[in-house]
Amino acid sequence: MASDASTTDQPIHPSEAEGVAREPLVLNNRSMAWVTDRICGIVENRQPLIWWVLFIPSVLLAGLLGGTLVYLVSTGVGVWGNNQPVAWGWAIVNFVFWIGIGHAGTLISAILFLTRQKWRTSVNRASEAMTLFAVVCAGIYPGFHVGRFWMVWFLAPIPNANAIWQNFKSPLLWDVFAVSTYFTVSVLFWYVGLIPDLATLRDRAKAKLAKVLYGLFALGWRGGNRQWRHYEMAYLILAGISTPLVLSVHSVVSFDFATSIVPGWHTTIFPPYFVAGAVFGGFAMVLTLMLPVRKLYGLEDMITHKHVDNMAKIILLTGTIVGYAYIMELFISYYSASKYEGDAFHLRILSGPYTWAYYCMFFCNVISPQVFWFKKARLNLWVVFIVANIVNCGMWFERFVIIPTTLARDFLPGQWGYYSPSITEKLMFLGTFGLFMMLFLLFIRFLPVIAIAEVKGVLPENDPHHPDWVKLKEKRRAAAAAE
Amino acid sequence: MSENRTTPFAYIAEFGSAPELYHAAEHVRDAGFKRWDVHTPYPVHGIDKAMGLGKSWLSTCSLIGGVTGFLTALSLEFFTQVMLYPTVVQNKPTNLSTIPAFFPVMFELTILFTAFATLIGLCAFIMLPRWNHPLFNSALFNKFSDDGFILVIESRDPKFRKERTREFLEEIGAGEIELLEA
């Protein structure tokens, strides 16, 4: 290796040349041109039939969502099944479910960026997009749950019609600020990441309209280092502020529960437990979406088994944290010796009307990810896909367990009730899946699903310290000379 | 003044790889050029040093944004809740000691304003958005967004000479060289 290095102008330190080679993040020594072609090709070529097969039902379901919302507003929120004592039914369950899914994107982009986990480059773009679409779906629920949708502007920090200001001590108002800030900052972060890739699409675009639109959104990006160095600083700062932001959002969501005095909700474990659960559910959704995309568009060289393996490990870790939280909640309710806490959890796990939901949740979230202790399971894409979907269900059940289970048994037996969702709520939930899928499919159609510029930065050929760098470079030179 | 009606805009030179471009940048820096840049498909690490560029001070914009956001939230909450219209909900008082309940909104607005300040600062620092640029007329230059490592020396540079700069670029190992007319 030393003699090879001396023939080139780039010295390679012998220890690096002979050191332990990490598994490459992009397989088969792909070139930059290949990366550009493959990712831009998804946007430029005709979509496969399956895209249409998924897109049309998604649009119909999104239309169904619109229809149910029109029905809801024109009739009144009484068409939902929630009432006293369960005032927070599926609306809030689904809000927390979607907002939780919307955590993986920013986690992958921000936290993994700050911790220099370079494998994030292949999955961050799609996860960020997924985040945004999940937050869009989430935002619908509290918006309509307020009852009179046309009064939603009361949430904004302006005095309302009676000159009364918002109650800034209320966790529900904190939620408004947290979720809207999260959405806005996620959009900005996503867009800043897109700029260089939009420039690539602009430079390749054939159609006039495409060139104008991509050019408009690429802002005239020229990829000069005098731009890159500020760009990289901006990206670092956005990652730095998104990290506490993503942790704060689900903490604030959990404050909706934790700052109340309802037994079963009034616990200090809620913020970390919600954040771990959100990361857990978010990664499951990333896998649910990315495994088919990877297969369908031939992205196996960029989203490798290593990526799936890493995400499966994160699911295992966060799933186990969630399991710890479930058990710790039970222990604290026993240890506190509070009669009401004890009863709340007794009803939740033994004699209440929703114990089936508790065990569904426990199986899906704590037991099923344990298969990821085995490398064989992490490398089998079918196992990963199935477990990820079980986790998606489990995280929905978690929110269901927290909300109706607790509310259905109030302090006095005379206030006890049972909640089951109405058909409107069910259709609406189905509709948000349609909206989510529709937005994600449109994203695949019009924007690069993988961060092109970032992936180029982790290619083996662009790493001068890579053991094979000299060989690769000579191979490329020979190929160019042969042409 | 000269027989040539058109004036050149810049020399565009392509290099084979990031390390080659890196070393070329060192030569251009040492030759004392000022109006030049390297255009790459991805940010090449360490090339700031090879170009003689320091740290990006974009972070000052972010800091100003963050402080503005924090003060905005503090005054929004304090003026409306404590001074203008104290809302006593569930018998909870509103005064200086209730500030902890105001922390979440302060935190969120700090982040929100920082993000916007960073983005606006970025646009100002890199002088974008910009609808067009003379460099886009060059097919060689446009390889930057695919797999080209491009070095551009603009004719505005006081050291720019039509012949000498081309020779210089050839010396430092440029592949294809193009003289872009403005």
Side-chain angles (χ1 to χ4, degrees):
Chain A
M1 210 61 198
S3 61
D4 280 357
S6 65
T7 58
T8 65
D9 48 349
Q10 176 69 18
I12 293 184
H13 194 275
S15 66
E16 275 160 351
E18 289 154 20
V20 180
R22 287 191 171 208
E23 210 179 312
L25 290 169
V26 179
L27 301 177
N28 296 331
N29 286 329
R30 296 299 188 180
S31 68
M32 285 197 281
W34 182 87
V35 171
T36 317
D37 276 340
R38 183 49 62 100
I39 300 171
C40 295
I42 299 173
V43 176
E44 289 158 357
N45 301 338
R46 286 170 68 93
Q47 290 300 317
L49 184 66
I50 183 91
W51 189 88
W52 288 101
V53 170
L54 290 169
F55 185 67
I56 292 168
S58 303
V59 174
L60 294 176
L61 284 178
L64 179 72
L65 174 68
T68 49
L69 289 176
V70 168
Y71 174 63
L72 173 79
V73 170
S74 59
T75 316
V77 279
V79 297
W80 278 353
N82 51 348
N83 208 329
Q84 296 301 336
V86 185
W88 285 6
W90 269 32
I92 302 301
V93 172
N94 296 340
F95 162 68
V96 183
F97 171 73
W98 279 116
I99 200 94
I101 286 173
H103 274 61
T106 309
L107 182 103
I108 291 177
S109 3
I111 299 181
L112 297 186
F113 180 78
L114 292 182
T115 51
R116 298 276 185 270
Q117 297 296 308
K118 287 190 173 168
W119 60 273
R120 72 183 264 290
T121 53
S122 305
V123 284
N124 71 334
R125 172 70 43 74
S127 335
E128 285 170 50
M130 180 208 77
T131 287
L132 299 177
F133 307 146
V135 177
V136 166
C137 292
I140 293 171
Y141 287 99
F144 285 88
H145 188 261
V146 299
R148 280 175 281 174
F149 180 68
W150 52 98
M151 299 298 235
V152 152
W153 65 275
F154 273 31
L155 296 168
I158 40 174
N160 69 21
N162 304 318
I164 301 174
W165 283 86
Q166 287 69 34
N167 177 14
F168 283 97
K169 289 175 294 183
S170 162
L172 297 178
L173 192 73
W174 303 344
D175 227 14
V176 173
F177 277 86
V179 173
S180 56
T181 300
Y182 184 59
F183 182 73
T184 314
V185 173
S186 299
V187 170
L188 295 183
F189 195 26
W190 186 60
Y191 177 63
V192 167
L194 268 169
I195 291 172
D197 295 355
L198 289 171
T200 302
L201 282 169
R202 168 199 69 197
D203 292 346
R204 291 169 58 95
K206 302 271 187 299
K208 178 90 181 154
L209 183 68
K211 206 167 182 69
V212 168
L213 285 177
Y214 286 128
L216 193 67
F217 287 105
L219 305 178
W221 178 255
R222 296 195 301 282
N225 192 52
R226 287 172 207 275
Q227 294 179 338
W228 273 122
R229 71 194 195 99
H230 296 304
Y231 174 91
E232 283 202 287
M233 179 56 86
Y235 202 80
L236 178 69
I237 292 169
L238 287 174
I241 61 171
S242 299
T243 300
L245 178 66
V246 69
L247 300 180
S248 85
V249 176
H250 228 57
S251 299
V252 168
V253 170
S254 79
F255 288 163
D256 292 346
F257 305 93
T259 61
S260 72
I261 52 161
V262 178
W265 286 4
H266 189 67
T267 53
T268 48
I269 204 174
F270 260 30
Y273 153 41
F274 268 50
V275 170
V279 172
F280 178 58
F283 268 94
M285 191 55 101
V286 170
L287 282 171
T288 307
L289 293 174
M290 289 317 279
L291 289 177
V293 166
R294 167 187 188 274
K295 180 88 195 130
L296 208 59
Y297 294 100
L299 303 173
E300 285 97 338
D301 285 345
M302 282 177 280
I303 304 172
T304 65
H305 276 286
K306 182 189 165 118
H307 294 88
V308 180
D309 186 47
N310 283 349
M311 287 194 273
K313 282 178 186 163
I314 291 179
I315 288 188
L316 173 63
L317 171 73
T318 47
T320 311
I321 294 174
V322 166
Y324 168 80
Y326 294 160
I327 293 163
M328 192 47 79
E329 269 190 317
L330 297 180
F331 171 72
I332 292 293
S333 81
Y334 153 75
Y335 192 65
S336 69
S338 159
K339 203 164 123 192
Y340 297 104
E341 283 288 326
D343 268 7
F345 284 94
H346 191 267
L347 287 164
R348 191 176 286 186
I349 64 167
L350 289 176
S351 63
Y354 297 106
T355 42
W356 54 273
Y358 187 86
Y359 291 106
C360 271
M361 168 191 91
F362 205 90
F363 169 76
C364 295
N365 288 350
V366 187
I367 312 287
S368 79
Q370 301 305 322
V371 299
F372 288 151
W373 285 105
F374 303 101
K375 189 160 189 163
K376 257 199 166 136
R378 295 198 303 268
L379 291 182
N380 185 330
L381 299 181
W382 280 108
V383 172
V384 174
F385 187 73
I386 290 166
V387 171
N389 278 297
I390 293 175
V391 168
N392 285 332
C393 298
M395 284 315 290
W396 187 86
F397 272 110
E398 178 190 305
R399 281 66 182 246
F400 185 80
V401 164
I402 291 171
I403 296 170
T405 305
T406 314
L407 292 176
R409 289 291 174 266
D410 214 329
F411 290 96
L412 296 173
Q415 291 172 315
W416 288 4
Y418 187 83
Y419 163 77
S420 45
S422 74
I423 183 76
T424 319
E425 276 165 299
K426 288 173 185 163
L427 291 178
M428 197 174 150
F429 187 44
L430 202 61
T432 43
F433 273 101
L435 178 67
F436 180 74
M437 282 305 292
M438 182 186 86
L439 291 170
F440 194 79
L441 289 165
L442 286 173
F443 157 72
I444 294 174
R445 169 68 188 81
F446 290 109
L447 291 170
V449 274
I450 293 182
I452 304 172
E454 288 186 38
V455 168
K456 283 176 185 167
V458 299
L459 286 180
E461 73 165 59
N462 288 331
D463 177 11
H465 303 298
H466 193 274
D468 289 337
W469 189 77
V470 176
K471 271 191 248 163
L472 262 168
K473 203 175 125 184
E474 269 159 15
K475 222 159 102 188
R476 289 223 187 291
R477 282 224 171 119
E483 271 181 31
Chain B
M1 187 174 125
S2 89
E3 292 86 352
N4 255 350
R5 291 239 176 128
T6 51
T7 46
F9 176 77
Y11 265 119
I12 300 171
E14 194 194 4
F15 288 80
S17 68
E20 285 167 56
L21 185 71
Y22 181 95
H23 294 303
E26 286 176 330
H27 288 299
V28 179
R29 172 196 69 192
D30 294 341
F33 285 96
K34 292 279 171 272
R35 317 240 20 152
W36 63 287
D37 204 349
V38 294
H39 299 262
T40 50
Y42 62 95
V44 178
H45 288 278
I47 210 157
D48 288 351
K49 211 175 118 207
M51 287 179 73
L53 300 173
K55 178 184 180 294
S56 165
W57 284 101
L58 183 63
S59 40
T60 47
C61 295
S62 314
L63 179 67
I64 294 167
V67 172
T68 315
F70 174 76
L71 293 176
T72 308
L74 181 68
S75 44
L76 174 72
E77 295 183 294
F78 203 77
F79 283 120
T80 60
Q81 296 291 285
V82 180
M83 296 165 81
L84 274 178
Y85 202 111
T87 33
V88 180
V89 180
Q90 294 170 341
N91 206 21
K92 289 170 190 156
T94 317
N95 52 46
L96 206 59
S97 65
T98 54
I99 278 193
F102 297 158
F103 283 170
V105 173
M106 288 180 201
F107 175 78
E108 302 299 339
L109 285 195
T110 307
I111 301 280
L112 185 67
F113 279 54
T114 310
F116 274 106
T118 308
L119 188 68
I120 294 166
L122 175 68
C123 286
F125 274 50
I126 65 179
M127 290 187 282
L128 293 181
R130 185 175 164 149
W131 185 240
N132 205 349
H133 193 275
L135 286 173
F136 289 139
N137 294 330
S138 158
L140 179 64
F141 172 77
N142 283 334
K143 280 171 83 174
F144 88 89
S145 67
D146 184 12
D147 60 352
F149 293 96
I150 311 287
L151 195 149
V152 172
I153 301 180
E154 291 184 20
S155 63
R156 285 185 294 173
D157 193 294
K159 289 212 172 231
F160 184 92
R161 300 287 181 279
K162 217 169 176 178
E163 300 306 316
R164 283 230 315 266
T165 306
R166 174 185 281 272
E167 282 164 19
F168 170 70
L169 284 169
E170 277 164 2
E171 265 168 41
I172 60 174
E176 201 179 329
I177 300 177
E178 183 187 326
L179 182 64
L180 183 71
E181 306 294 337

